[in-house]
Amino acid sequence: MPLYHHLGNFPQKRHTVFRKPNGDLYAEELVSTHGFSSTYSNVYHCYPPTLVKEINEPYSVEPKIARAKHLKHTSLKGFKVKPTKDYLASRVPVLVNNDLHISLAAPQESMTDYFYKNSMADEVIFIHEGSGVLKTGYGQIPFEYGDYLIIPRGIIYQLHFNDENNRLFITESFSPIETPRRYRNHFGQLMEHAPFCERDIKRPQDLETHDEHGDFKIMIKKEGLIYPYVYGTHPFDFVGWDGYHYPWAFSIHNFEPITGRIHQPPPVHQTFEGAGFVICSFVPRLFDYHPNAIPAPYNHSNVDSDEILYYVDGDFMSRKSVEKGQITLHPAGIPHGPHPGTVEKSIGAKETHELAVMIDPFRPLMLTEQALGLEDPDYYKSWLY
């Protein structure tokens, strides 16, 4: 999110002397993206961020592909993923391609014994169930049901949950997560017709400086491997920072739907984008108000993109039955549309209370071995009855 922010203390000029009360220098770190050509932040640490004491053997979390090529409407029952105590162990990849990985997670315990850094992907963590605090060196962001947590690559974090009942829908993007270009002016400001604005963005607050020595385990993900690092100082030893590269959050409940006299196409629901895909938010809204409008979506042929819909809550007038946490995958190459009887039923309806997250990738998605264990094998027949 290109929005300047700062917390804590830092010198008036970059790359100049900045001393501790005892006369020692604070350690400056430039955290930059796309080389030196995109967003960055300047961070000031109590100690250099390079004090590695130990590196243990990496282990693989590479998704195991079960169905690389397919042309079949698919449904996954996401809440069949069993709750798991550990956060990293709870992450179950289900749909992947070279642009993004989609995972489900049901962690029961907060991250207290280690920290995590994804060095290859921006993460979008949608909070389906649960609440807590995202903790980083940049500050803290409280989260709750309906929040998208956007954690740019390279940021070390912990998730602290308020209880053990948590359900997460996670997108790892191998390109930066951005707001839609058509909603930004050339200064980067969200324009008046955008479905949300800067006031809706949750930025880090409550910077806590951890001036601590010890053994601090940081699990670093790169190219499908987790590398267990042990650092000699606490990773949240920031005394101050400023810039444009930091974690932030946005609530799906603050997305203002765009409606019209006739049915509006999915791009009006777009919330974020990466290279090769978009993320959309379907929220409660008034239906179309043309006197002869059909609120149910029309049949649609996916020519250039797969379509993923993650059902969060509410009723969906185009489906006969859906469950919380259900994922539908409608692959490019064949049409999909409303279930029998739902078109006629939708005529005259005034509003919907549905809540869902949609992802449209422009390269085909592959199903993992874990995904097959969640699959409803007869979903592709659901238009017959």
Side-chain angles (χ1 to χ4, degrees):
M1 181 67 185
L3 190 65
Y4 178 77
H5 190 43
H6 63 86
L7 286 174
N9 299 310
F10 45 85
Q12 178 63 32
K13 296 287 289 184
R14 295 173 293 177
H15 322 317
T16 60
V17 171
F18 184 37
R19 296 190 184 276
K20 303 178 184 179
N22 67 1
D24 293 342
L25 287 170
Y26 287 111
E28 182 182 15
E29 178 188 12
L30 172 66
V31 183
S32 65
T33 62
H34 202 72
F36 290 82
S37 302
S38 191
T39 57
Y40 65 91
S41 288
N42 284 93
V43 173
Y44 296 87
H45 297 268
C46 293
Y47 307 99
T50 51
L51 304 180
V52 179
K53 299 176 72 172
E54 188 177 351
I55 304 176
N56 295 308
E57 284 298 313
Y59 62 90
S60 177
V61 290
E62 189 76 26
K64 296 180 180 179
I65 305 303
R67 192 183 296 160
K69 298 179 181 180
H70 61 99
L71 192 62
K72 175 187 176 184
H73 290 323
T74 301
S75 176
L76 309 177
K77 301 300 181 69
F79 274 26
K80 288 177 66 176
V81 169
K82 294 181 179 180
T84 303
K85 289 183 178 181
D86 179 70
Y87 169 67
L88 288 182
S90 75
R91 292 166 59 124
V92 177
V94 290
L95 299 165
V96 302
N97 67 16
N98 289 333
D99 297 318
L100 75 161
H101 287 180
I102 297 171
S103 299
L104 299 166
Q108 294 176 301
E109 295 184 352
S110 298
M111 301 165 64
T112 55
D113 297 332
Y114 64 89
F115 305 81
Y116 176 60
K117 175 169 74 172
N118 194 328
S119 66
M120 289 289 290
D122 286 24
E123 295 193 348
V124 181
I125 303 175
F126 179 78
I127 309 298
H128 190 166
E129 291 185 351
S131 61
V133 179
L134 168 66
K135 294 190 174 185
T136 72
Y138 295 84
Q140 304 183 31
I141 302 177
F143 62 81
E144 59 188 353
Y145 164 60
D147 279 344
Y148 293 99
L149 301 178
I150 293 83
I151 307 173
R153 70 203 62 201
I155 289 179
I156 299 170
Y157 72 86
Q158 287 184 326
L159 290 176
H160 286 248
F161 301 104
N162 289 331
D163 58 44
E164 64 178 15
N165 302 310
N166 305 289
R167 292 279 177 179
L168 313 176
F169 178 67
I170 302 172
T171 303
E172 294 177 78
S173 170
F174 301 112
S175 60
I177 290 293
E178 302 176 352
T179 52
R181 289 177 177 82
R182 68 181 180 279
Y183 292 142
R184 286 185 267 125
N185 61 29
H186 68 281
F187 294 104
Q189 183 181 16
L190 290 165
M191 290 192 283
E192 185 67 18
H193 67 283
F196 57 96
C197 75
E198 287 80 2
R199 296 183 191 180
D200 299 315
I201 302 302
K202 299 180 183 181
R203 293 181 282 174
Q205 301 296 331
D206 301 322
L207 179 68
E208 293 182 357
T209 302
H210 292 264
D211 185 347
E212 302 174 31
H213 291 273
D215 295 328
F216 298 93
K217 183 185 289 187
I218 302 177
M219 311 297 277
I220 303 176
K221 184 176 182 180
K222 185 173 183 180
E223 297 182 310
L225 295 176
I226 298 285
Y227 294 84
Y229 268 63
V230 179
Y231 278 81
T233 56
H234 198 293
F236 300 165
D237 69 340
F238 296 24
V239 295
W241 66 273
D242 78 327
Y244 287 71
H245 181 79
Y246 55 86
W248 52 283
F250 171 73
S251 173
I252 194 172
H253 305 300
N254 283 328
F255 186 89
E256 299 301 333
I258 298 171
T259 60
R261 273 172 42 93
I262 57 174
H263 191 85
Q264 298 297 294
V268 302
H269 307 287
Q270 186 182 348
T271 314
F272 311 113
E273 63 187 19
F277 70 96
V278 299
I279 299 177
C280 301
S281 300
F282 286 80
V283 302
R285 62 194 182 277
L286 295 177
F287 276 141
D288 325 310
Y289 48 90
H290 186 284
N292 292 319
I294 299 177
Y298 34 75
N299 294 298
H300 173 221
S301 288
N302 289 23
V303 176
D304 294 315
S305 70
D306 287 0
E307 179 191 281
I308 300 299
L309 205 60
Y310 177 78
Y311 295 92
V312 179
D313 210 344
D315 297 321
F316 292 82
M317 80 301 199
S318 61
R319 290 286 177 269
K320 287 188 174 179
S321 64
V322 294
E323 301 176 8
K324 289 184 178 182
Q326 182 176 347
I327 296 175
T328 56
L329 164 60
H330 300 143
I334 50 176
H336 67 275
H339 279 154
T342 59
V343 173
E344 187 70 42
K345 184 179 178 181
S346 75
I347 296 173
K350 300 301 182 183
E351 60 183 346
T352 176
H353 296 283
E354 65 189 19
L355 201 64
V357 177
M358 188 177 81
I359 300 177
D360 279 1
F362 296 100
R363 286 196 245 190
L365 287 165
M366 300 176 283
L367 277 77
T368 67
E369 291 180 0
Q370 295 100 318
L372 296 191
L374 309 174
E375 185 178 11
D376 174 1
D378 294 324
Y379 174 72
Y380 73 96
K381 299 178 181 178
S382 60
W383 285 267
L384 292 175
Y385 42 81

